[in-house]
Amino acid sequence: MTRYVLKRLGLALVTLVLLSVIVFATAQLLPGDVGRRVLGPFAPQEAVDALNEQVGADRPAVVQYLDWASGLVRGDFGDSLVFQTPVRPLLADALGNSLKLALVALAIVVPLGVLGGVVAGLEAGRFLDRAITVGGLSLTVVPEFVTGIFLIVAVGIWLDWLPITAQWPEGAGLLTQLEHLLLPAVCLVLVLFGYIARITRAGVIEALDADYTRTAFLKGLPRRAVLRRHVLRNGLLPTIAVVATQVGYLVGGLVVIEILFNYQGIGLLIFNAADQKDFPMLASGVLVVGAVYLLVTLVADLLYALLNPRIRYGAAAE
């Protein structure tokens, strides 16, 4: 297991380096420049050039990248070219907001998705299975902005049950923050439920048809014990990987949700940085999201290995 973890950490480090290079190279293709974005379209070109020189945006891209990367090694994410402030506190606040929304959404969708998938798998081919599968997939294909607007109008305005903005007042307590996050979290639940339920259903059906399950029934074990010890333990393994992949999306891919609900998350921060060609902010934000995604997938792989000893033995033999 130690060799397995060290190998994954080494691959993660290489992935993050390549990711930072790709982001910086892609950012050079974006139109416009920092000075023009900050000063506006009517500012004189002399002022724009002076601002670009002041923030270092007129330097070659390679120089900007190496300067940012050398600071990153020392734990310094650099300064935002637009806000002229350190990137780290801005990223920390945005990442904290995104993690809060992701945790609320996961706390709702994972139990519901697993329960729906298990019920559908145990009732495979029957009405309840079709209702869960078709209903979940139908919700999955609906775009986020459609479900978001519907929830804002129906739940937030007509029924007035929940706030229509996810940004809570300054100094708000935990319950108030949760109240503001429920509506966007429900929007995410509607999108992710069908995917998690379908993967769980497939795992449960496969586990029910496995030889070890039939052997357990032939030995006379009670149905509840067989389901708990054999079917659920093995059938939920694919669900772990699916949930891990969704965490990266929930942390950095919620630009539409964050815009609809006026939420200052890291996805919106990265989007604005790309729009304004703020290279340090853009690269640092993408790198943080990539690090979170790699960390979560590593944890998922470790859980997978703990539940499936063959993974551990195979990794140790390599």
XYZ file of all heavy atoms in Angstrom, residues 33-123:
662
model
N -6.077 42.017 -23.240
C -4.981 42.056 -22.287
C -5.489 42.613 -20.966
O -6.599 43.144 -20.867
C -3.810 42.893 -22.822
C -4.218 44.319 -23.137
O -4.625 45.035 -22.206
O -4.150 44.708 -24.320
N -4.661 42.470 -19.937
C -5.073 42.841 -18.587
C -5.349 44.338 -18.487
O -6.361 44.769 -17.911
C -3.996 42.419 -17.572
C -4.382 42.869 -16.168
C -3.791 40.918 -17.615
N -4.453 45.161 -19.010
C -4.616 46.609 -18.906
C -5.914 47.098 -19.497
O -6.611 47.947 -18.911
N -6.280 46.575 -20.663
C -7.513 46.993 -21.307
C -8.731 46.517 -20.518
O -9.735 47.229 -20.416
C -7.554 46.442 -22.738
C -8.775 46.837 -23.532
C -8.896 48.358 -23.661
N -7.784 48.935 -24.418
C -7.581 50.227 -24.569
N -8.393 51.093 -23.952
N -6.544 50.675 -25.256
N -8.660 45.310 -19.948
C -9.777 44.806 -19.158
C -10.003 45.648 -17.910
O -11.134 45.883 -17.502
C -9.502 43.351 -18.739
C -9.509 42.362 -19.893
C -10.911 42.109 -20.380
N -10.940 41.070 -21.400
C -12.029 40.639 -22.013
N -13.191 41.183 -21.723
N -11.972 39.704 -22.923
N -8.919 46.068 -17.273
C -9.042 46.821 -16.031
C -9.472 48.258 -16.296
O -10.372 48.784 -15.630
C -7.710 46.790 -15.258
C -7.771 47.699 -14.040
C -7.372 45.366 -14.844
N -8.859 48.922 -17.270
C -9.106 50.342 -17.505
C -10.309 50.615 -18.388
O -10.811 51.743 -18.422
C -7.854 50.985 -18.120
C -6.595 50.939 -17.239
C -5.417 51.566 -17.969
C -6.839 51.635 -15.914
N -10.762 49.607 -19.121
C -11.937 49.803 -19.943
C -11.594 50.112 -21.393
O -10.445 50.421 -21.733
N -12.595 50.079 -22.281
C -12.338 50.238 -23.723
C -11.976 51.664 -24.137
O -11.442 51.854 -25.231
C -13.657 49.798 -24.366
C -14.685 50.054 -23.309
C -14.011 49.796 -21.998
N -12.253 52.655 -23.303
C -12.014 54.039 -23.695
C -10.735 54.632 -23.093
O -10.449 55.805 -23.316
C -13.212 54.910 -23.278
C -14.513 54.449 -23.857
C -15.470 53.844 -23.053
C -14.784 54.582 -25.212
C -16.675 53.403 -23.570
C -15.981 54.144 -25.748
C -16.936 53.549 -24.927
N -9.990 53.825 -22.359
C -8.745 54.323 -21.771
C -7.694 54.490 -22.864
O -7.651 53.721 -23.830
C -8.245 53.353 -20.709
N -6.832 55.509 -22.759
C -5.777 55.686 -23.762
C -4.793 54.528 -23.743
O -4.558 53.908 -22.697
C -5.104 56.998 -23.332
C -5.464 57.170 -21.908
C -6.810 56.552 -21.724
N -4.219 54.248 -24.906
C -3.318 53.111 -25.027
C -2.083 53.275 -24.149
O -1.528 52.282 -23.653
C -2.891 52.933 -26.494
C -2.083 51.678 -26.758
C -2.861 50.410 -26.425
O -4.056 50.318 -26.697
N -2.190 49.449 -25.815
N -1.647 54.536 -23.941
C -0.484 54.762 -23.084
C -0.748 54.281 -21.657
O 0.124 53.668 -21.018
C -0.112 56.252 -23.072
C 0.381 56.795 -24.405
C -0.763 57.085 -25.365
O -1.946 56.966 -24.927
O -0.494 57.412 -26.536
N -1.954 54.559 -21.155
C -2.291 54.113 -19.802
C -2.381 52.591 -19.737
O -1.956 51.974 -18.752
C -3.609 54.742 -19.357
N -2.918 51.985 -20.791
C -3.016 50.524 -20.831
C -1.626 49.904 -20.827
O -1.346 48.947 -20.084
C -3.812 50.074 -22.069
C -3.752 48.550 -22.226
C -5.258 50.539 -21.983
N -0.721 50.437 -21.643
C 0.637 49.907 -21.698
C 1.355 50.088 -20.364
O 2.115 49.202 -19.926
C 1.428 50.595 -22.809
C 0.866 50.287 -24.193
O 0.173 49.255 -24.331
O 1.110 51.083 -25.128
N 1.118 51.232 -19.720
C 1.762 51.483 -18.431
C 1.283 50.494 -17.376
O 2.082 49.990 -16.569
C 1.485 52.918 -17.988
N -0.016 50.191 -17.371
C -0.545 49.239 -16.395
C -0.032 47.831 -16.672
O 0.339 47.102 -15.737
C -2.071 49.258 -16.422
C -2.761 48.315 -15.424
C -2.333 48.638 -13.993
C -4.276 48.395 -15.558
N 0.030 47.442 -17.954
C 0.572 46.126 -18.288
C 2.023 45.996 -17.844
O 2.441 44.940 -17.355
C 0.465 45.881 -19.795
C -0.954 45.571 -20.235
O -1.744 45.041 -19.458
N -1.285 45.907 -21.474
N 2.784 47.070 -18.007
C 4.175 47.039 -17.567
C 4.267 46.982 -16.041
O 5.115 46.284 -15.477
C 4.908 48.267 -18.082
C 6.391 48.288 -17.720
C 7.099 49.508 -18.284
O 6.433 50.331 -18.953
O 8.319 49.643 -18.041
N 3.363 47.680 -15.365
C 3.382 47.711 -13.906
C 3.105 46.338 -13.307
O 3.768 45.913 -12.347
C 2.354 48.712 -13.398
C 2.239 48.776 -11.872
C 1.125 49.701 -11.425
O 0.627 50.519 -12.198
N 0.720 49.577 -10.170
N 2.130 45.629 -13.865
C 1.769 44.318 -13.315
C 2.579 43.181 -13.928
O 2.449 42.026 -13.516
C 0.264 44.050 -13.511
C -0.568 45.102 -12.807
C -0.099 43.976 -14.993
N 3.420 43.483 -14.912
C 4.252 42.456 -15.526
C 3.565 41.659 -16.603
O 4.076 40.615 -17.036
N 2.397 42.132 -17.083
C 1.670 41.386 -18.102
C 2.293 41.520 -19.484
O 1.902 40.793 -20.409
C 0.215 41.855 -18.160
N 3.244 42.450 -19.650
C 3.883 42.635 -20.951
C 5.105 41.739 -21.120
O 5.716 41.719 -22.193
C 4.290 44.101 -21.134
C 5.272 44.566 -20.056
O 5.297 43.948 -18.959
O 6.001 45.544 -20.303
N 5.448 40.996 -20.093
C 6.605 40.099 -20.196
C 6.242 38.854 -21.003
O 5.058 38.510 -21.125
C 7.073 39.687 -18.796
C 7.567 40.833 -17.927
C 7.925 40.327 -16.537
N 6.759 39.742 -15.884
C 6.821 39.034 -14.752
N 7.989 38.821 -14.180
N 5.724 38.534 -14.222
N 7.230 38.156 -21.550
C 6.936 36.910 -22.272
C 6.232 35.906 -21.366
O 6.435 35.881 -20.138
C 8.331 36.416 -22.688
C 9.178 37.634 -22.697
C 8.659 38.522 -21.618
N 5.411 35.075 -21.979
C 4.630 34.104 -21.207
C 5.530 33.146 -20.429
O 5.208 32.769 -19.294
C 3.709 33.316 -22.147
N 6.647 32.755 -21.023
C 7.560 31.832 -20.336
C 8.106 32.463 -19.065
O 8.195 31.821 -18.007
C 8.707 31.417 -21.277
C 9.716 30.541 -20.534
C 8.159 30.677 -22.491
N 8.445 33.741 -19.140
C 8.970 34.442 -17.963
C 7.892 34.539 -16.890
O 8.156 34.320 -15.693
C 9.480 35.835 -18.363
C 9.935 36.606 -17.121
C 10.616 35.723 -19.367
N 6.662 34.866 -17.294
C 5.570 34.946 -16.336
C 5.328 33.587 -15.673
O 5.123 33.502 -14.456
C 4.287 35.400 -17.034
C 4.333 36.816 -17.582
C 2.992 37.237 -18.152
O 1.958 37.088 -17.495
N 2.984 37.745 -19.370
N 5.370 32.520 -16.464
C 5.123 31.187 -15.900
C 6.219 30.793 -14.925
O 5.932 30.304 -13.817
C 5.014 30.156 -17.024
C 4.927 28.739 -16.499
C 3.719 28.248 -16.020
C 6.047 27.921 -16.453
C 3.626 26.958 -15.512
C 5.963 26.634 -15.946
C 4.758 26.155 -15.479
O 4.673 24.882 -14.983
N 7.475 30.984 -15.319
C 8.584 30.591 -14.441
C 8.576 31.408 -13.156
O 8.871 30.877 -12.076
C 9.915 30.755 -15.182
C 10.142 29.795 -16.357
C 11.459 30.113 -17.040
C 10.111 28.348 -15.888
N 8.254 32.676 -13.255
C 8.185 33.509 -12.069
C 7.078 33.022 -11.130
O 7.267 32.933 -9.910
C 7.946 34.962 -12.473
C 7.912 35.895 -11.273
O 8.900 35.919 -10.521
O 6.899 36.591 -11.081
N 5.914 32.697 -11.711
C 4.809 32.191 -10.898
C 5.133 30.815 -10.321
O 4.875 30.548 -9.136
C 3.552 32.131 -11.753
C 2.408 31.415 -11.088
C 1.569 31.897 -10.141
C 2.003 30.067 -11.340
N 0.654 30.941 -9.780
C 0.890 29.809 -10.496
C 2.460 29.056 -12.190
C 0.244 28.584 -10.488
C 1.802 27.834 -12.185
C 0.716 27.614 -11.338
N 5.724 29.920 -11.125
C 6.025 28.559 -10.665
C 7.084 28.554 -9.571
O 6.999 27.783 -8.609
C 6.481 27.697 -11.847
N 8.096 29.424 -9.696
C 9.132 29.479 -8.657
C 8.547 29.958 -7.335
O 8.935 29.481 -6.258
C 10.261 30.409 -9.108
O 9.782 31.734 -9.308
N 7.609 30.895 -7.395
C 6.945 31.332 -6.170
C 6.053 30.252 -5.597
O 5.933 30.113 -4.368
N 5.441 29.471 -6.477
C 4.550 28.406 -6.020
C 5.320 27.356 -5.220
O 4.793 26.808 -4.240
C 3.873 27.755 -7.228
C 2.726 26.786 -6.928
C 1.576 27.513 -6.247
C 2.245 26.113 -8.206
N 6.541 27.072 -5.618
C 7.373 26.122 -4.880
C 7.600 26.598 -3.449
O 7.683 25.801 -2.508
C 8.713 25.906 -5.609
C 9.644 25.028 -4.790
C 8.465 25.283 -6.982
N 7.670 27.911 -3.274
C 7.867 28.496 -1.936
C 6.550 28.722 -1.208
O 6.538 29.294 -0.112
C 8.612 29.829 -2.048
C 9.968 29.742 -2.742
C 10.726 31.060 -2.625
N 9.976 32.156 -3.230
C 10.097 32.543 -4.494
N 10.932 31.886 -5.304
N 9.389 33.551 -4.970
N 5.440 28.307 -1.811
C 4.140 28.506 -1.190
C 3.501 29.838 -1.501
O 2.509 30.213 -0.864
N 4.046 30.559 -2.477
C 3.525 31.866 -2.860
C 2.795 31.733 -4.190
O 3.410 31.422 -5.217
C 4.671 32.884 -2.970
C 4.183 34.271 -3.342
O 2.960 34.501 -3.299
O 5.030 35.121 -3.685
N 1.473 31.991 -4.203
C 0.682 31.882 -5.416
C 0.776 33.125 -6.293
O 0.186 33.163 -7.360
C -0.786 31.622 -5.072
C -1.060 30.230 -4.584
C -0.824 29.883 -3.262
C -1.543 29.264 -5.438
C -1.077 28.602 -2.809
C -1.800 27.975 -5.004
C -1.562 27.643 -3.672
N 1.498 34.139 -5.848
C 1.652 35.349 -6.628
C 0.542 36.349 -6.350
O -0.322 36.143 -5.490
N 0.568 37.441 -7.086
C -0.423 38.508 -6.947
C -1.339 38.535 -8.162
O -0.898 38.317 -9.295
C 0.255 39.870 -6.801
C 1.048 39.978 -5.507
O 0.712 39.243 -4.553
O 2.007 40.767 -5.455
N -2.605 38.821 -7.927
C -3.559 38.959 -9.012
C -3.212 40.185 -9.852
O -2.972 41.274 -9.314
C -4.978 39.090 -8.448
O -5.892 39.464 -9.453
N -3.186 40.013 -11.161
C -2.871 41.132 -12.038
C -4.006 42.158 -12.078
O -3.766 43.331 -12.361
C -2.603 40.622 -13.459
C -1.458 39.614 -13.608
C -1.279 39.241 -15.077
C -0.170 40.152 -13.037
N -5.214 41.729 -11.789
C -6.374 42.619 -11.845
C -6.616 43.300 -10.500
O -6.785 44.516 -10.423
C -7.626 41.846 -12.287
C -8.872 42.731 -12.219
C -7.447 41.307 -13.702
N -6.617 42.514 -9.420
C -6.933 43.063 -8.104
C -5.710 43.606 -7.367
O -5.852 44.288 -6.353
C -7.605 41.994 -7.236
C -8.893 41.487 -7.793
C -8.954 40.246 -8.419
C -10.043 42.243 -7.725
C -10.143 39.764 -8.932
C -11.245 41.773 -8.238
C -11.296 40.531 -8.848
N -4.509 43.269 -7.865
C -3.272 43.746 -7.241
C -3.202 43.348 -5.766
O -2.730 44.113 -4.913
C -3.147 45.261 -7.391
C -2.861 45.727 -8.806
C -1.478 45.283 -9.286
O -0.453 45.827 -8.880
N -1.451 44.296 -10.147
N -3.677 42.167 -5.462
C -3.616 41.609 -4.119
C -3.144 40.159 -4.224
O -3.248 39.544 -5.296
C -4.994 41.649 -3.434
O -5.953 40.939 -4.244
C -5.466 43.087 -3.243
N -2.626 39.589 -3.120
C -2.203 38.184 -3.174
C -3.339 37.257 -3.589
O -4.500 37.453 -3.196
C -1.733 37.908 -1.742
C -1.336 39.244 -1.212
C -2.290 40.218 -1.832
N -2.990 36.262 -4.374
C -3.987 35.318 -4.883
C -4.488 34.385 -3.783
O -5.665 34.019 -3.763
C -3.383 34.511 -6.047
C -4.282 33.338 -6.421
C -3.165 35.408 -7.260
N -3.608 34.002 -2.859
C -3.951 32.947 -1.890
C -5.220 33.243 -1.103
O -6.103 32.370 -1.031
C -2.781 32.711 -0.945
C -3.089 31.643 0.112
C -1.975 31.502 1.116
N -0.803 30.914 0.529
C 0.325 30.697 1.211
N 0.396 31.053 2.480
N 1.364 30.146 0.624
N -5.390 34.418 -0.460
C -6.638 34.621 0.303
C -7.889 34.620 -0.565
O -8.947 34.146 -0.132
C -6.417 35.989 0.978
C -5.336 36.651 0.196
C -4.473 35.561 -0.310
N -7.782 35.143 -1.796
C -8.937 35.121 -2.689
C -9.323 33.685 -3.043
O -10.502 33.327 -3.046
C -8.629 35.915 -3.956
C -8.335 37.402 -3.777
C -7.958 38.034 -5.117
C -9.534 38.117 -3.179
N -8.310 32.860 -3.323
C -8.571 31.452 -3.636
C -9.108 30.709 -2.423
O -9.999 29.866 -2.548
C -7.289 30.777 -4.134
C -6.934 30.945 -5.604
C -5.622 30.235 -5.897
C -8.038 30.400 -6.494
N -8.564 31.010 -1.247
C -8.993 30.311 -0.034
C -10.471 30.580 0.250
O -11.229 29.648 0.582
C -8.133 30.740 1.149
N -10.896 31.833 0.131
C -12.306 32.160 0.366
C -13.207 31.479 -0.657
O -14.251 30.909 -0.304
C -12.509 33.673 0.309
C -11.840 34.392 1.473
O -11.537 33.733 2.483
O -11.600 35.614 1.357
N -12.815 31.544 -1.939
C -13.637 30.938 -2.990
C -13.683 29.421 -2.846
O -14.743 28.799 -3.009
C -13.096 31.323 -4.366
N -12.533 28.802 -2.523
C -12.507 27.348 -2.348
C -13.351 26.938 -1.147
O -14.064 25.926 -1.199
C -11.065 26.876 -2.161
C -10.875 25.371 -1.942
C -11.376 24.589 -3.143
C -9.404 25.046 -1.665
N -13.290 27.706 -0.073
C -14.120 27.395 1.089
C -15.604 27.439 0.754
O -16.376 26.561 1.171
N -16.013 28.438 -0.016
C -17.414 28.519 -0.428
C -17.818 27.328 -1.291
O -18.897 26.739 -1.113
C -17.660 29.819 -1.187
C -17.618 31.039 -0.288
O -17.783 30.932 0.922
N -17.377 32.197 -0.870
N -16.952 26.964 -2.247
C -17.264 25.833 -3.125
C -17.337 24.522 -2.342
O -18.198 23.680 -2.610
C -16.215 25.727 -4.230
O -16.266 26.841 -5.094
N -16.447 24.346 -1.376
C -16.459 23.119 -0.578
C -17.721 23.029 0.272
O -18.280 21.942 0.452
C -15.221 23.056 0.310
C -13.891 22.781 -0.399
C -12.737 22.839 0.587
C -13.918 21.421 -1.099
N -18.186 24.161 0.794
C -19.422 24.149 1.570
C -20.598 23.696 0.718
O -21.387 22.833 1.126
C -19.697 25.539 2.141
C -18.769 25.956 3.268
C -19.101 27.353 3.752
C -18.143 27.795 4.853
N -18.443 29.175 5.324
N -20.714 24.257 -0.480
C -21.809 23.861 -1.369
C -21.669 22.401 -1.787
O -22.660 21.663 -1.848
C -21.834 24.770 -2.597
C -22.903 24.473 -3.647
C -24.296 24.473 -3.030
C -22.829 25.484 -4.791
N -20.444 21.965 -2.075
C -20.220 20.576 -2.479
C -20.587 19.604 -1.359
O -21.208 18.561 -1.608
C -18.758 20.384 -2.887
N -20.232 19.934 -0.114
C -20.543 19.049 1.007
C -22.046 18.940 1.226
O -22.562 17.843 1.495
C -19.855 19.563 2.268
C -18.329 19.395 2.326
C -17.768 20.043 3.589
C -17.946 17.922 2.273
N -22.754 20.058 1.116
C -24.212 20.014 1.285
C -24.844 19.170 0.182
O -25.720 18.325 0.448
C -24.795 21.445 1.283
C -26.317 21.402 1.300
C -24.282 22.228 2.477
N -24.401 19.380 -1.052
C -24.961 18.607 -2.167
C -24.650 17.120 -2.028
O -25.525 16.266 -2.242
C -24.422 19.147 -3.492
N -23.407 16.787 -1.651
C -23.029 15.381 -1.498
C -23.781 14.728 -0.343
O -24.159 13.557 -0.426
C -21.526 15.268 -1.273
C -20.630 15.517 -2.486
C -19.170 15.515 -2.077
C -20.870 14.459 -3.565
N -23.974 15.476 0.745
C -24.687 14.921 1.893
C -26.121 14.549 1.541
O -26.724 13.684 2.191
C -24.677 15.918 3.052
N -26.670 15.188 0.530
C -28.042 14.874 0.106
C -28.056 13.822 -0.997
O -28.801 12.835 -0.933
C -28.764 16.147 -0.376
C -28.841 17.177 0.751
C -30.164 15.815 -0.879
C -29.410 18.515 0.312
N -27.207 14.002 -2.024
C -27.332 13.166 -3.217
C -26.722 11.779 -3.032
O -27.224 10.809 -3.628
C -26.681 13.875 -4.425
C -25.159 13.861 -4.340
C -27.137 13.221 -5.727
N -25.663 11.639 -2.230
C -25.043 10.316 -2.089
C -25.994 9.320 -1.413
O -26.214 8.214 -1.943
C -23.701 10.428 -1.340
C -23.166 9.036 -0.998
C -22.684 11.176 -2.193
N -26.579 9.642 -0.241
C -27.535 8.672 0.331
C -28.733 8.406 -0.578
O -29.155 7.247 -0.730
C -27.970 9.346 1.639
C -26.881 10.303 1.970
C -26.379 10.800 0.648
N -29.286 9.470 -1.188
C -30.433 9.273 -2.070
C -30.062 8.449 -3.296
O -30.805 7.553 -3.709
C -31.005 10.625 -2.499
C -31.749 11.431 -1.436
C -32.221 12.758 -2.014
C -32.926 10.639 -0.884
N -28.908 8.769 -3.905
C -28.494 8.039 -5.093
C -28.189 6.577 -4.806
O -28.580 5.682 -5.567
N -27.496 6.317 -3.693
C -27.184 4.934 -3.324
C -28.459 4.164 -2.997
O -28.640 3.026 -3.440
C -26.202 4.916 -2.134
C -26.059 3.503 -1.579
C -24.840 5.447 -2.558
N -29.340 4.789 -2.215
C -30.600 4.117 -1.876
C -31.424 3.831 -3.130
O -31.954 2.723 -3.305
C -31.398 4.990 -0.907
C -32.775 4.446 -0.495
C -32.626 3.115 0.222
C -33.507 5.452 0.391
N -31.530 4.828 -4.016
C -32.277 4.606 -5.244
C -31.663 3.521 -6.111
O -32.376 2.692 -6.683
N -30.329 3.505 -6.208
C -29.664 2.484 -7.011
C -29.808 1.095 -6.423
O -30.009 0.107 -7.164
N -29.726 0.968 -5.099
C -29.887 -0.340 -4.458
C -31.302 -0.857 -4.652
O -31.514 -2.032 -5.003
C -29.536 -0.234 -2.956
C -29.931 -1.514 -2.231
C -28.053 0.040 -2.772
N -32.288 0.011 -4.448
C -33.683 -0.408 -4.641
C -33.930 -0.808 -6.095
O -34.563 -1.837 -6.375
C -34.639 0.727 -4.221
C -36.077 0.383 -4.595
C -34.536 0.977 -2.721
N -33.392 -0.007 -7.032
C -33.571 -0.333 -8.447
C -32.885 -1.647 -8.795
O -33.415 -2.451 -9.583
C -33.025 0.801 -9.314
N -31.701 -1.888 -8.221
C -30.999 -3.140 -8.500
C -31.723 -4.354 -7.938
O -31.789 -5.410 -8.589
N -32.267 -4.226 -6.738
C -32.999 -5.339 -6.137
C -34.334 -5.582 -6.828
O -34.854 -6.706 -6.797
C -33.228 -5.062 -4.646
C -31.964 -4.971 -3.774
C -32.342 -4.639 -2.338
C -31.171 -6.274 -3.828
N -34.892 -4.537 -7.436
C -36.178 -4.656 -8.138
C -35.979 -4.585 -9.653
O -36.845 -4.081 -10.372
C -37.116 -3.524 -7.701
C -37.439 -3.510 -6.225
C -38.325 -4.687 -5.821
O -39.137 -5.118 -6.664
O -38.202 -5.158 -4.678
